[in-house]
Amino acid sequence: MNTITPFIPRQSRTIEHLIEGIATSDGAGVKLTRVLTGKLQQRLDPFLMLDAFGSDNPDDYIAGFPDHPHRGFETITYMLAGRMRHRDSAGNEGLLENGGVQWMTAGRGVIHSEIPEQKDGVMEGFQLWLNLPASRKMIAPWYRDIGSAEIPEFVTASGVKVRVIAGSSNGVSGAVTRETTEPVYLDVHLPAGAEFSTTIPNTHNAFIYVYRGTVQVGETTVPIKRMGILHNAPEADGITIVATEDARIILVAGKPLNEPIVQYGPFVMNTQAEIEQAVSDFRNGRLA
Ligand code: CO
């Protein structure tokens, strides 16, 4: 692991507003907090959904997500703690566990299941949905399991640990890079009192989500379990985050597609006709 001295932005982005997620359940009854959905899909284009899950009660997660389809986007599952078995119609199978990431491009279609492989203990993590450009919505499915040890990390002189899942930060390239939307996905662990800075391209929509402790961005305090949507300002070249206590956050940014978004459950396309096609393909066994 490298120790680096972070870049200092000329002007940090600020928090536009705070979002509290909505408690819900999905799959066969997995309890989760839906942080990003609906109206925020336009504001946070190219991101379509963020679910945060975390429980030490097996009743909250044990049923998992049995077979279900996806078309038109990518799912990025980051498992902080726990073990989940993935199987899909493209023949992929993998075990997602402690600190690992599963990056799945549904493209023209996959049917997959995500089933816990533990009967007790903590299951905690995130699932983020990243849209695909219209020209790539019907590409062949793709999948990669990225073990925790394969995720590039660095530590700053003030003791901040950064895991670079996608994009890059302070010269460290992440496990995945993507054209068009150029996503950045960081997991940042800050000791109390520490400050962390990174570039965020001013073309990008961006947010942070605090999953431990509390942080401060400019004048705004962002408490645990809140998303802070970052203001887009042409002159802001990055962000500076200060931990008011030991804190962990994810920072997510991406270049908007500015294309129509039509979602019907697990299908996200550009037109209603494409959604009807997806539903019909699924019913007729032609989705995957
Ligand atoms: Co799924």
Side-chain angles (χ1 to χ4, degrees):
M1 209 171 337
N2 306 317
T3 301
I4 60 112
T5 303
F7 142 97
I8 305 294
R10 283 191 312 277
Q11 185 179 327
S12 173
R13 290 202 190 205
T14 54
I15 301 284
E16 180 177 291
H17 62 272
L18 297 180
I19 300 289
E20 184 175 1
I22 293 161
T24 184
S25 70
D26 206 343
V30 177
K31 288 199 179 136
L32 50 83
T33 302
R34 189 144 289 164
V35 184
L36 190 175
T37 188
K39 285 185 298 187
L40 289 177
Q41 291 176 339
Q42 295 293 339
R43 175 60 188 84
L44 292 174
D45 180 8
F47 302 103
L48 300 165
M49 196 188 81
L50 177 69
D51 282 345
F53 50 94
S55 177
D56 59 4
N57 176 0
D59 293 342
D60 290 346
Y61 61 73
I62 204 74
F65 301 86
D67 274 346
H68 61 278
H70 292 290
R71 173 179 280 180
F73 59 98
E74 306 189 82
T75 67
I76 304 150
T77 311
Y78 181 29
M79 186 69 88
L80 296 168
R83 293 157 58 86
M84 191 105 85
R85 174 74 58 181
H86 165 98
R87 284 192 182 85
D88 73 32
S89 52
N92 300 302
E93 178 174 342
L95 184 65
L96 178 61
E97 59 186 332
N98 303 332
V101 169
Q102 183 213 76
W103 196 298
M104 186 187 77
T105 306
R108 67 174 175 256
V110 295
I111 296 170
H112 75 157
S113 62
E114 299 149 295
I115 304 293
E117 277 207 356
Q118 63 187 45
K119 291 190 168 57
D120 51 34
V122 176
M123 176 82 75
E124 183 181 20
F126 300 101
Q127 189 171 82
L128 178 70
W129 289 10
L130 170 63
N131 208 356
L132 285 167
S135 61
R136 293 180 59 79
K137 280 187 174 289
M138 295 297 277
I139 58 174
W142 182 87
Y143 162 96
R144 189 176 153 202
D145 272 319
I146 307 157
S148 186
E150 298 173 78
I151 296 175
E153 294 183 353
F154 63 89
V155 176
T156 70
S158 55
V160 177
K161 182 172 108 169
V162 182
R163 314 192 75 217
V164 188
I165 295 166
S168 68
S169 174
N170 290 284
V172 177
S173 290
V176 174
T177 55
R178 278 282 178 274
E179 294 175 3
T180 314
T181 54
E182 301 167 14
V184 177
Y185 191 165
L186 310 179
D187 178 15
V188 186
H189 302 186
L190 304 100
E195 182 177 302
F196 172 70
S197 297
T198 189
T199 50
I200 300 173
N202 62 7
T203 48
H204 283 34
N205 287 328
F207 65 86
I208 62 170
Y209 180 82
V210 179
Y211 68 94
R212 295 280 190 286
T214 303
V215 301
Q216 186 91 17
V217 179
E219 301 296 303
T220 309
T221 299
V222 188
I224 191 165
K225 293 185 177 170
R226 292 294 187 283
M227 166 195 266
I229 296 179
L230 302 183
H231 185 61
N232 293 17
E235 61 281 11
D237 55 341
I239 187 172
T240 299
I241 300 161
V242 180
T244 44
E245 55 184 310
D246 287 354
R248 296 187 179 196
I249 67 159
I250 55 170
L251 186 158
V252 176
K255 193 172 175 185
L257 291 166
N258 296 312
E259 294 173 346
I261 300 166
V262 184
Q263 177 172 8
Y264 179 70
F267 309 127
V268 185
M269 304 299 290
N270 302 109
T271 68
Q272 190 59 36
E274 289 168 344
I275 290 292
E276 282 159 21
Q277 185 67 52
V279 171
S280 156
D281 286 350
F282 179 54
R283 288 198 182 129
N284 295 308
R286 290 196 308 259
L287 181 101

